[in-house]
């Protein structure tokens, strides 16, 4: 589901519904422009034209009586329910056999790390707990809890409703006092938290601690007056949230954009890809903080990342920025111009590492299972595509058929339909799934493949 926000005004008053000891006032208006749709012309730029301290606000919010991020004591029963709904016997068989098993003439090799990560499981489980804790209250969620259609549909069935969007704006006025609002695994922009705090609603925050770690990093950049170079997609909800906690920032989506920025810092001496200040601002118009000036704001930089980006690319961008600062200001002064903290999430890293290992195997094709708006899944597909292995990124078994046809996505988002995608005869298939994909969805995909092979055998008989 693509979600787009456009320019919206956040009220100036931010008296929090906090214990009396905590009181915070946002002295100047904050304006927010953010987009959840990469095709949208809006930007996540957050104009922090105020002395509002997002870190203090967040800290105080987490101590308020209307805030919960740990669940409500129903962990065991909600985990049991999730096990029933999302686990798979086929995956269990694979795991019991060293991640490789043969059904008929199909050998399936499962990646060493795949599927639900700790942060996703935690987020879904806390959302289930919220429903149990508040059986009669209206429960809203500010965005998809995770990027998986099966799980999101399940929450809909549990009457957890998305905040409606009209003309690109989230309609927070539907939320009433006494309602419950869930923040998803990839977090929410600080302005949304302010709005909810003002409404005195129960906030259930499922933000993954790895995402909060990135927020802490950009807050450190801000404190040290470093500009945050955020490796991410400017329209991705997680990056929108991270940008809202940053001071001055620029978002680069890949090495090419990072090279352009570094080339500009060096006055064209890196590879000549950059040009004028105007061209710079035009190129990054949706990806910089308000009032960003590349001539003034790229003197001190720090690196942060969307947790689901390619780990190796984030590292390369960090090294490039460090080398650039050394070249410009001298090796001895680099610490005054560059800082970096490791914010790459283990789960993303493990799934990518397992994929790099799997593409070394002798496989006929690879199936990458995960939501089509899942950034971490797109990178798994990217790794297979780079190796030239036939690889099919699908979000459910429904993308297979009728007959031997598949509709799948390429890593950059193009939708492709292919006939006779499943080769005849014995096959070796590699399979992996994104961090927000339940095992049950992977099982459904494999069962569809087995059915096709069974039909093929019957036709030959
Ligand atoms: S992929 Fe990493 S950052 Fe994202 S939810 Fe999972 S553990 Fe958290």
């Amino acid at each position: 589901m693509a979600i787009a926000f456009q320019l919206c005004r956040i009220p100036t008053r931010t008296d929090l519904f906090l214990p009396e000891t905590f009181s915070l006032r946002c002295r100047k208006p904050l304006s927010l422009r953010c987009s959840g749709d990469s095709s949208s012309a809006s930007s996540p730029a957050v104009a922090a034209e105020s002395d509002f301290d997002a870190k203090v606000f967040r800290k105080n919010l987490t101590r308020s009586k209307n805030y919960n991020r740990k669940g409500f004591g129903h962990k065991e029963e909600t985990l049991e329910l999730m096990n029933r709904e999302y686990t798979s016997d086929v995956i269990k068989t694979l795991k019991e056999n060293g991640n490789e098993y043969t059904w008929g003439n199909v050998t399936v090799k499962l990646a060493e790390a795949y599927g639900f990560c700790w942060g996703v499981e935690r987020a879904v489980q806390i959302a289930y707990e919220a429903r149990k804790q508040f059986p009669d209250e209206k429960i809203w969620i500010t965005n998809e809890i995770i990027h998986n259609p099966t799980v999101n549909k399940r929450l809909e069935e549990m009457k957890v409703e998305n905040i409606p969007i009209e003309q690109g704006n989230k309609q927070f006025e539907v939320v009433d006092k006494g309602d419950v609002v869930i923040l998803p695994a990839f977090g929410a922009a600080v302005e949304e938290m302010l709005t909810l705090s003002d409404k005195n609603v129960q906030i259930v925050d499922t933000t993954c601690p790895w995402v909060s770690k990135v927020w802490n990093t950009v807050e450190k950049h801000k404190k040290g007056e470093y500009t945050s170079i955020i490796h991410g997609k400017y329209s991705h909800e997680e990056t929108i949230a991270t940008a809202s906690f940053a001071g001055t920032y620029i978002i680069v989506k890949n090495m090419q954009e990072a090279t352009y920025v570094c080339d500009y810092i060096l006055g064209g001496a890196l590879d000549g890809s950059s040009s004028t200040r105007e061209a710079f601002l035009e190129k990054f118009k949706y990806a910089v903080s308000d009032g960003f000036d590349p001539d003034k704001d790229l003197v001190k930089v720090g690196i942060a990342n969307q947790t689901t980006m390619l780990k190796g690319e984030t590292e390369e961008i960090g090294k490039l920025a460090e080398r650039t600062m050394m070249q410009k200001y001298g090796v001895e002064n680099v610490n005054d111009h560059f800082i970096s903290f490791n914010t790459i999430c283990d789960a993303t890293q493990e799934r990518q590492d397992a994929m790099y290992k799997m593409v070394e195997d002798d496989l006929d094709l690879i199936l990458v299972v995960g939501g089509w708006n899942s950034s971490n899944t797109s990178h798994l597909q990217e790794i297979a595509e780079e190796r030239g292995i036939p690889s099919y990124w699908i979000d459910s078994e429904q993308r297979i058929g009728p007959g031997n046809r598949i509709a799948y996505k390429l890593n950059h988002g193009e939708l492709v339909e292919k006939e006779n995608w499943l080769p005849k005869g014995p096959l070796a298939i590699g399979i992996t799934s994104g961090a927000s994909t339940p095992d049950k969805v992977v099982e459904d995909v494999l069962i569809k493949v087995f059915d096709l092979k069974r039909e093929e055998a019957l036709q030959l008989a």
Side-chain angles (χ1 to χ4, degrees), residues 44-50 52 214-215 217-231 239 242-252 261 280-281 287-304 339:
V46 174
E49 334 149 15
S50 75
F52 169 70
V214 181
W215 296 351
T217 295
V218 295
E219 279 163 349
K220 279 184 203 154
H221 294 166
K222 188 175 170 185
K223 199 170 167 205
E225 297 184 343
Y226 288 82
T227 291
S228 299
I229 297 180
I230 303 171
H231 177 216
T239 294
T242 297
S244 78
F245 288 99
T248 307
Y249 67 84
I250 177 164
I251 300 163
V252 294
V261 171
F280 185 108
L281 289 172
V288 288
S289 47
D290 256 21
F292 186 90
D293 183 343
D295 294 333
K296 291 186 188 149
D297 293 328
L298 292 171
V299 174
K300 293 174 73 176
V301 300
I303 303 293
I339 46 169

Side-chain angles (χ1 to χ4, degrees), residues 116-121 123 146 185-186 207-211 238 307-308 344-348 351 376 435-436:
F116 263 14
C117 63
W118 170 82
V120 159
E121 185 170 294
I146 58 169
F186 43 74
T207 305
C208 175
W210 278 99
V211 174
E238 183 189 318
T307 53
T308 49
I344 295 168
C345 142
D346 281 346
T348 303
R351 279 149 193 71
N376 80 83
S436 47

Side-chain angles (χ1 to χ4, degrees), residues 15 46 53 62 78 118 164 168 222 225 296 405 425 445 447 449:
D15 294 335
V46 174
D53 188 330
T62 58
T78 46
W118 170 82
K222 188 175 170 185
E225 297 184 343
K296 291 186 188 149
R405 170 201 286 222
V445 166
I447 286 173
V449 169

Side-chain angles (χ1 to χ4, degrees), residues 1-5 35-40 140-153 155-156 160-166 170 184 186 235-238 240 370-375 393 395 399 409 436:
M1 180 177 73
I3 295 179
F5 302 93
S35 164
D37 181 344
S38 53
S39 62
S40 165
W140 302 96
I141 188 159
T142 59
N143 217 317
E144 294 182 328
I145 185 124
I146 58 169
H147 288 141
N148 185 271
T150 307
V151 178
N152 294 326
K153 189 161 171 286
L155 285 184
E156 266 173 51
V160 174
E161 292 182 45
N162 286 315
I163 304 262
I165 297 174
E166 273 177 29
K170 277 190 194 169
F186 43 74
S235 56
H236 190 282
E237 301 90 327
E238 183 189 318
I240 291 167
W372 275 349
N373 53 357
S374 159
S375 176
W393 171 16
D395 57 355
R399 306 297 173 187
K409 280 211 171 180
S436 47

Side-chain angles (χ1 to χ4, degrees), residues 177-460:
K177 190 175 172 196
D179 288 357
V180 178
V181 182
I182 297 174
L183 310 183
F186 43 74
V190 67
E191 292 78 8
E192 294 187 0
M193 294 187 197
L194 273 164
T195 302
L196 296 171
S197 172
D198 272 356
K199 280 179 168 285
N200 197 18
V201 294
Q202 171 70 50
I203 297 173
V204 179
D205 186 356
T206 74
T207 305
C208 175
W210 278 99
V211 174
S212 315
K213 193 175 165 190
V214 181
W215 296 351
N216 294 338
T217 295
V218 295
E219 279 163 349
K220 279 184 203 154
H221 294 166
K222 188 175 170 185
K223 199 170 167 205
E225 297 184 343
Y226 288 82
T227 291
S228 299
I229 297 180
I230 303 171
H231 177 216
K233 298 170 183 168
Y234 69 78
S235 56
H236 190 282
E237 301 90 327
E238 183 189 318
T239 294
I240 291 167
T242 297
S244 78
F245 288 99
T248 307
Y249 67 84
I250 177 164
I251 300 163
V252 294
K253 75 167 182 282
N254 51 29
M255 195 61 188
Q256 200 185 358
E257 288 193 355
T259 303
Y260 183 100
V261 171
C262 290
D263 187 64
Y264 188 89
I265 294 171
L266 295 174
L270 183 59
D271 68 350
S273 57
S274 68
S275 62
T276 61
R277 178 177 179 277
E278 289 66 37
F280 185 108
L281 289 172
E282 177 61 23
K283 184 175 174 68
F284 291 103
K285 64 184 170 189
Y286 302 129
V288 288
S289 47
D290 256 21
F292 186 90
D293 183 343
D295 294 333
K296 291 186 188 149
D297 293 328
L298 292 171
V299 174
K300 293 174 73 176
V301 300
I303 303 293
N305 66 305
Q306 185 181 310
T307 53
T308 49
M309 298 304 277
L310 272 181
K311 168 205 162 203
E313 195 170 49
T314 301
E315 285 170 348
E316 283 306 306
I317 289 170
K319 282 183 199 152
L320 175 66
E322 187 176 25
R323 281 199 307 274
T324 299
M325 290 313 190
M326 282 181 185
Q327 192 172 332
K328 176 115 181 174
Y329 298 105
V331 177
E332 66 284 9
N333 298 316
V334 70
N335 291 340
D336 297 331
H337 296 274
F338 176 79
I339 46 169
S340 174
F341 306 94
N342 181 9
T343 55
I344 295 168
C345 142
D346 281 346
T348 303
Q349 186 176 328
E350 284 163 9
R351 279 149 193 71
Q352 289 172 8
D353 289 347
M355 192 64 180
Y356 280 117
K357 209 167 161 192
M358 196 163 76
V359 293
E360 296 298 329
D361 289 337
D362 193 12
L363 298 168
D364 294 297
L365 60 93
I366 290 179
L367 285 161
V368 176
V369 187
W372 275 349
N373 53 357
S374 159
S375 176
N376 80 83
T377 313
S378 78
H379 293 305
L380 299 177
Q381 170 73 6
E382 185 176 0
I383 293 167
E385 282 179 23
E386 273 170 3
R387 291 300 172 106
I389 299 174
S391 183
Y392 304 95
W393 171 16
I394 54 177
D395 57 355
S396 79
E397 91 290 352
Q398 288 169 18
R399 306 297 173 187
I400 300 175
N404 193 357
R405 170 201 286 222
I406 193 166
Y408 65 102
K409 280 211 171 180
L410 298 174
N411 90 79
H412 58 265
E414 187 189 342
L415 179 62
V416 180
E417 288 192 16
K418 191 171 171 185
E419 294 286 350
N420 299 319
W421 68 281
L422 201 61
K424 291 198 182 334
L427 275 186
I429 293 180
I431 194 156
T432 187
S433 53
S436 47
T437 311
D439 287 356
K440 182 75 177 63
V441 180
V442 179
E443 173 176 290
D444 292 344
V445 166
L446 284 173
I447 286 173
K448 201 81 179 248
V449 169
F450 300 153
D451 286 347
L452 277 174
K453 294 306 277 182
R454 202 172 298 119
E455 277 170 34
E456 179 192 306
L458 285 174
Q459 279 167 12
L460 289 173

